[in-house]
Amino acid sequence: MSALYNLIQGEADVADESDDESFDEDTGEVRRKANGTNGVNGHLDDSSEEEDDDDEEAARAIREGFIVEDEEEPEERARRRKEKRKRRREEREEEEAGLDDEDLDLIGENIPGYERRAPSEPKLKRLKRGHKEENEERLPRGVNDIFDSDDEEDTQRAFEDRRQNIRGVPDEFADFIEQDFSEGEGRELEDDDAEVARTVRRGLGAVKDTAGLDEAALEDLKEAFGDGGEYDWALELQEQEDQEDRRGDTEYPDTLSKAIELKDVFEPSQLAERMLTDEDNQIRAVDEPERFQIARKPYKHLILTDEQFREESVWISNLMWPKKRLDPDLREPFQKSVAKVLEFMITDEYEVPFIFQHRKDYLIHAAKVHVTPDPYNPNAPEYVVSAEKLLNQSDLWDIFDLDLKFRALIDKRNALQKTYDNLKAVSNTQDGVFEEMLPMAVTMEELQDVQDYLHFQHSSRLADIAIVNGTITNGTQRRPGASRMIFERIRNGKVYSLVRAFGITADAFAQNALKREGRRQYTEDPAERPDDMANSETILDPPDYSSGPQCLRAAKAMFAEEISLSPKMRKVMRQTYYMNGVIECFRTEKGLKKIDEQHPYYEFKYLRNQQLSDIARQPDLFLRMLRAEEEGLVEVKVQLQNYDNFRKRLYTDIESDNFSEVADAWNRERRSVLDMALLKLDKVMARGVKENMKTECENQVAKACREEYLKKLDQAPYKPKGMVLGTVPRVLTLSNGTGTFGKEAICWAWVEEDGRVLENGKFIDITVGDPEKSIKDGADLDAFVELVMRRRPDVIGVSGFSAESRRLYDQLDDIVKKRNLRGAEYENEDGQDVSDPLEVVIVNDEVARLYQTSDRATMEHPGFAPLTKYCVALAKYLQNPMKEYASLGRDIVSLSFDPSQQYVPEEKILKQLETAMVDMVNLCGVDINDAVSDSYTANLLSYVCGLGPRKASQVLKAINLNGGVVSTRAELVGDADQHRLPAVGPRVWNNCASFLYIEFDITEPDSDYLDNTRVHPEDYELGRKMAADALELDEEDIQAEQQENGDGAIVRKLIKDEAQEKVNDLILEEYAEQLERNFNQRKRATLETIRAELQQPYEELRRNFAILTTDEIFTMFTGETRESLCEGMIVPMSIKRVSDDSIEGKLDCGITGTVALEDIASRLEGSAKSYFSPHQTVQAKIMSLTRKTLTARMSLLEEQLRRPYRKDIDRMSDEWDERQEQKDKESMQIKNDVSGRTQRVIKHPLFRSFNAAQAEEYLGSQARGDVVIRPSSKGLDHLAVTWKVSDNVYQHIDVLELDKENEFSVGKTLKIGGRYSYSDLDELIVNHVKAMARKVDEMMLHEKYQNGSKADTERWLTTYTEANPKRSVYNFCINPKNPGYFFLCFKNGQSAQVQNWHVKVIPGAFELRRIPYQDMRALCNGFKLLFTNMQNEKRR
């Protein structure tokens, strides 16, 4: 009853539930609220309210990650802990040994002349105040109290010390505490407290002094209360405990109470999101590249042997070689190169960028080729070096991934071997098939085959081993199913003799099918027929197998299972499927209706006979086929070509060669067994091939995304004319967003080269006038020109969200030309200062679109409008595209790199994109000091070789602790003498050192020029040697220079003398040969890098800033591609203007469409205005499309509209099922004829010639409540209205038209459901659809609405009632299967079942149990009333 009462009272009265507790919307748990009641008195004043507020703010700050807790020394924590323990012990002793006034009065009654004590008023006040403080001290402490200030604890400690001093305990700080009362009153209080609370540690000797009792009184006292020694044993135990505590505090400081940790405050998910878990801290601490640690985490326990390492290099080479297309003679060098790369990755723990940059010589095969002597040039070289690149940077990432796959392979192989070793040790089992096939398994599929075989053949023994061990071994043991138990019984029974009688084992048959070299295994026939043998006593095994046919069926099933689980047979089938398998697509009944010729899936609706190699070349096609299969529109099948021939060939491998009636009978049974086995194998193989093809196609799409991302990253900052590549420009950017040019605001931002936004604003009209036509300049044109003249930008950037932005670009280009706006001056080749016309550039805005609404933009520019933030991001993109992409973090996957990336798992795409960013960041390097001060540069740090997000944050933290500036690369590993903390360990430093550069300052003696180059510190000596040779210094000169100015003196001298070009005279080939001969180091490419870096450190190697192509601009402004919008397509066009001889309109994508007079109608009688009007939507065919100007020529001719667009696909004759296609068309035509559906065109802006599926697809990207009016399949007197209820939820409303003038006009009366009538479509939209949409919004914004599914809501209700057993609760959620309906889910207490009622949305109200309610409050109260009445009826 109380639960029902709670349900009824939950909302009828406002704030009933909020008085005592609040409810967590996410978890369903109750949070208790402090209501001010506590203790005996019922309520309590909290005198520390102000400190608590501060503590809550401190705790919140820690939760948000802005501050860390105050560090406390272990000695201080130990001292405070001992003080608290001592106070608690003394208080306990005082309570046991102390006498209060009532005790003393009781004793004094037997003493002549004793006067009862009268407490004074000040003492009462003091006691009352003490009682309150004690209550405050005993309040429960929560997480927030942990952050209480030390002042509060000091105050509490002072109060305790004062009490101890009053009770006779010496207090060295007695004079430190200042009392709150006068001297006389204070002394009086102290005397009173001393009388009440004077303590006696052992016995009652102190009572005599305190109370003035004589010996007789003391004897009476002892008789009444004892002498105090009765509890000495307890006090001794307490003393021992205290001594142990003190000894423990001294000997084991780790046992001191720990300070609160982050995991005590935050949820694990929050810590994981911020990378603050123990595992994250471990990654920071371990001296190993972060990406290696994360990727190799599952295989940390695995250590490869030398033999396995050699096997891995061969395994990876064999997988990569077919795709490389190198000369066959390079096969061996290629394998050696792969082996060397694996050595670098595994043994040396070098990441891909390090190997590519500093071990490049091992990725190249160089050979000396002798040349024919030139008689005219006797000094010509005898040979030339021929270099062939074996591995590129993408190959290195592939090797890294394949290394992980090989580790997984070895891990599983080791687990299987261990299982088999246990089997041999326990049951003395020997299995030749397993021992043969396990070493030969080179894929996870083949290992799985071996595992399945092992668990089939030895399931009972493995189960016994698992029981004996009490655990399942390494994840390879599986619980046998019912079918396995049946086969085990057959194997151990008489029937298995009939299996042996087939004359050949499954392994021998598979050996024949493999057609390997060696002797063929022949089949032997028994003397009896199979049916006769099955009926013999030696085979019958009642009660399970009591008849011959039963035994024969069991034997055939057993033999078929053995064949299907034979690793060799599976290998045969797998090879056959990959060589002769084809992919075929079959439409379902749902697909027949939904996939029409305009549907993107029509491309493969009747696709047949696709070779696997063809599918591999079209990964996007196969992934779309699988997506269509998930949607239930098609069925994708993997089948074998010439399956019957393959099966017949296998018959010859299992049959005997004998000629007799008995042999024929056995061969029939053998063929039957093989057919049974092939049915099982077909399912397994088809599923495996399909899954592998899916994985391969996903990998190809992900790699295509990587390549496209690399192109976007491979852009230097926009290069101002006359400047060096890599110079950051000053930028002015403008955008009109989605607004109409000339009518709505144009936002702009001015960004300096250092990224600061110094100025921003808005323009409205910047059009250039025409004096000849008396057209004045725009009101803001002069202001714009003044801004450009004053700021002198290097470039003007433009972008936007619609085709109108193209007009803005054209106008700005016109202004630059007519007003002669020029860029900054620069010095030309002749030494003259010149300037060029200012360039206007359309900027790629994919990053800016995400930035403008991000939290980062709000934090960086809180006062800016979203469109201004958009302009800021455009400018920064021009200044450094790579930094802008890096700032997106995981949001990078929301950008489009490939049309098919939506079919690939997000993590797979993200992984490939990360490798692209790692490659490009390490190509460009990172100024470590800039990273410390600039957050945008700091974003790049996690992509540096050896680092990651965790180690990058650790590096920045260490640098800040060391003073915030790095002077040399060597400082990053720390320096104990200079008290510098290490930012990274030696191994990580070795990876990242050359990619973190420090700007060279020739005025600083400690500054090393090579620290500002791509040269690794391991090669500094080579660089200094090259510099010395270029300067032609001898050994004595070198030593003298270095002794005077340090190790970097030679390079410093080279730079100071501006003699860098002298290094071009060095013959590096001799250097390289000497290094390889003397030190076995291949450094030819490294020497070239050093030469280039000595001349220009960290030269910009990215390509020039990429100006968008016409197609890219077209896609950015319209959202369309060449595939989605092209000539011949029929699309809706909204008419904007109608003249007598032409029509102008807009396509949905913003393109301007024009219909000439000859394209309106074949025989146009009268003006076009009599047929068409503005705001009308018509179907039009694109005749020509100009992508640069975003315009199209359209046609409304009937003969053009009757010829729908069909994508021209080049197919072979046997790759398309034309017969099935024609049959389906005829079937659909019959259905359309029966329905009588006719194409209608209605003059209304919301009308579209869509079917239901097209309407849903169109509304998918629209807002909730948007509407489409479309033709109805019920005939010419019906219309259909489709509106978006919520994401993926659409309601289709049937509208009956009455009072029609003709069959094509709209009825004057529109009825819906026989209940609602409207006079026109506008009234229907406003008063029916929009009215319901408002109610849907009201429902979804209500506090009782849950966003999840019905199942999620029910789980939420269950969680709530489990936490609150006596309470009832209800919530609403959407009903996606019945658009326009919601579920009202409720649970009447913990033990009740979750129930649900339907709530229908009607125009302007909600309907529950056929009763309308005007708003959500009325609906909730109405529900409670209905439920109460139902419960009362049940009780009656």
Side-chain angles (χ1 to χ4, degrees), residues 288-296 312 316 320 341-342 345-346 350-352 355 393-407 911 915:
E288 180 184 351
E290 182 171 328
R291 277 175 283 274
F292 278 8
Q293 292 189 58
I294 294 172
R296 295 173 179 172
E312 179 180 8
I316 293 177
M320 296 182 65
V341 169
L342 284 172
M345 287 184 178
I346 298 171
Y350 292 148
E351 268 209 277
V352 168
I355 298 171
Q393 203 157 0
S394 295
D395 293 332
L396 298 183
W397 287 111
D398 289 341
I399 292 174
F400 178 66
D401 289 336
L402 289 172
D403 171 57
L404 299 177
K405 291 181 180 179
F406 184 79
R407 288 168 183 263
K911 180 180 176 182
T915 64

Side-chain angles (χ1 to χ4, degrees), residues 138 158 369 380 424 549 629 643 790 1045 1057 1098 1115 1150 1371 1391:
R138 291 171 185 159
V369 180
K424 286 175 62 178
E629 187 177 42
Y643 180 78
R790 174 165 49 88
N1045 298 316
D1057 295 347
Y1098 258 105
T1115 300
N1371 276 116
S1391 59

Side-chain angles (χ1 to χ4, degrees), residues 459-616:
S459 58
S460 61
R461 298 185 187 92
L462 291 173
D464 293 341
I465 292 173
I467 293 173
V468 170
N469 294 339
T471 182
I472 295 176
T473 308
N474 293 325
T476 64
Q477 177 68 41
R478 298 184 304 178
R479 184 176 180 179
S483 61
R484 292 289 172 88
M485 298 301 294
I486 294 172
F487 291 131
E488 192 66 24
R489 286 200 298 271
I490 294 174
R491 185 183 290 112
N492 296 328
K494 295 181 181 180
V495 178
Y496 198 70
S497 299
L498 191 58
V499 177
R500 295 193 188 97
F502 278 92
I504 189 170
T505 64
D507 184 64
F509 161 65
Q511 183 73 26
N512 290 341
L514 273 174
K515 299 292 189 294
R516 288 183 178 169
E517 295 181 3
R519 203 177 70 175
R520 172 183 166 85
Q521 304 293 319
Y522 291 96
T523 306
E524 299 295 333
D525 293 320
E528 297 179 87
R529 291 173 56 89
D531 48 355
D532 294 337
M533 181 179 286
N535 277 312
S536 65
E537 292 298 326
T538 58
I539 301 298
L540 293 175
D541 194 5
D544 294 333
Y545 308 103
S546 54
S547 67
Q550 204 173 10
C551 292
L552 187 57
R553 283 196 302 271
K556 289 168 66 177
M558 181 71 187
F559 194 25
E561 192 73 9
E562 288 181 341
I563 292 174
S564 67
L565 287 167
S566 166
K568 291 180 182 177
M569 191 61 206
R570 287 193 171 186
K571 190 169 187 176
V572 171
M573 293 296 294
R574 192 170 287 114
Q575 289 176 351
T576 305
Y577 261 87
Y578 279 114
M579 291 177 63
N580 302 315
V582 293
I583 302 288
E584 297 190 328
C585 198
F586 299 87
R587 56 97 184 133
T588 62
E589 284 300 316
K590 182 180 178 181
L592 171 64
K593 300 174 184 176
K594 193 165 185 179
I595 303 178
D596 57 18
E597 292 190 4
Q598 307 305 315
H599 199 283
Y601 293 162
Y602 194 83
E603 183 181 356
F604 50 79
K605 186 177 182 180
Y606 303 103
L607 197 62
R608 304 285 189 270
N609 296 323
Q610 292 295 296
Q611 301 286 339
L612 297 184
S613 57
D614 297 333
I615 289 294

Side-chain angles (χ1 to χ4, degrees), residues 272-336:
E273 182 182 354
R274 300 186 182 189
M275 298 182 182
L276 294 173
T277 64
D278 293 339
E279 183 180 346
D280 294 319
N281 293 331
Q282 179 71 10
I283 292 173
R284 290 184 181 91
V286 174
D287 185 22
E288 180 184 351
E290 182 171 328
R291 277 175 283 274
F292 278 8
Q293 292 189 58
I294 294 172
R296 295 173 179 172
K297 178 184 173 184
Y299 317 111
K300 291 174 69 174
H301 61 282
L302 185 66
I303 300 176
L304 297 179
T305 63
D306 292 341
E307 181 62 32
Q308 289 171 340
F309 185 82
R310 287 190 291 272
E311 179 188 355
E312 179 180 8
S313 64
V314 175
W315 184 79
I316 293 177
S317 300
N318 291 339
L319 289 174
M320 296 182 65
W321 177 255
K323 300 178 182 179
K324 290 301 294 181
R325 299 180 180 178
L326 295 172
D327 190 287
D329 295 337
L330 296 175
R331 179 72 181 261
E332 185 179 350
F334 177 78
Q335 185 173 321
K336 289 181 179 179

Side-chain angles (χ1 to χ4, degrees), residues 862-1018:
F864 288 12
L867 193 56
T868 306
K869 298 173 189 174
Y870 173 84
C871 292
V872 171
L874 293 177
K876 291 190 175 182
Y877 188 91
L878 280 164
Q879 291 178 337
N880 197 326
M882 185 176 69
K883 284 187 178 181
E884 287 303 293
Y885 285 117
S887 67
L888 292 179
R890 290 184 64 89
D891 290 340
I892 190 66
V893 292
S894 61
L895 302 185
S896 177
F897 301 99
D898 188 278
S900 301
Q901 76 181 70
Q902 58 181 311
Y903 308 122
V904 182
E906 186 176 288
E907 285 301 319
K908 190 171 285 190
I909 295 288
L910 192 62
K911 180 180 176 182
Q912 289 291 335
L913 298 182
E914 183 184 10
T915 64
M917 179 62 79
V918 169
D919 288 348
M920 198 53 60
V921 167
N922 289 281
L923 175 71
C924 300
V926 176
D927 187 329
I928 186 62
N929 288 312
D930 278 356
V932 174
S933 58
D934 177 37
S935 62
Y936 273 77
T937 307
N939 290 329
L940 304 176
L941 206 56
S942 61
Y943 301 102
V944 169
C945 181
L947 304 183
R950 299 163 187 82
K951 287 188 179 293
S953 63
Q954 185 74 8
V955 166
L956 294 176
K957 182 178 179 182
I959 292 173
N960 283 316
L961 290 174
N962 289 336
V965 177
V966 181
S967 301
T968 65
R969 284 170 171 169
E971 289 181 8
L972 294 174
V973 289
D975 188 339
D977 295 336
Q978 297 184 12
H979 305 290
R980 289 187 177 275
L981 298 173
V984 291
R987 197 174 287 267
V988 173
W989 180 82
N990 211 26
N991 272 279
C992 71
S994 64
F995 305 108
L996 300 175
Y997 62 86
I998 300 156
E999 189 173 350
F1000 175 66
D1001 186 355
I1002 199 167
T1003 62
E1004 288 291 332
D1006 294 335
S1007 183
D1008 192 331
Y1009 177 86
L1010 294 176
D1011 281 344
N1012 190 33
T1013 67
R1014 290 184 173 90
V1015 181
H1016 194 276
E1018 69 178 9

Side-chain angles (χ1 to χ4, degrees), residues 24 29 87 163 567 675 687 785 1080 1229 1278 1406 1426:
D24 193 321
E29 296 179 355
R87 288 199 299 271
R163 281 172 43 187
D675 289 340
R687 183 170 60 248
V785 172
N1080 196 28
Q1229 185 63 42
H1278 285 261
F1406 302 100
L1426 286 172

Side-chain angles (χ1 to χ4, degrees), residues 759-770:
E759 198 173 353
N760 68 91
K762 292 181 180 180
F763 299 127
I764 298 295
D765 186 3
I766 57 172
T767 56
V768 179
D770 189 346

Side-chain angles (χ1 to χ4, degrees), residues 36 38 42-49 132-133 135-136 139:
N38 192 13
H43 64 278
L44 156 65
D45 258 352
D46 190 355
S47 61
S48 62
E49 182 178 353
K132 175 180 174 182
E133 293 180 19
N135 281 344
E136 289 179 352
L139 284 174

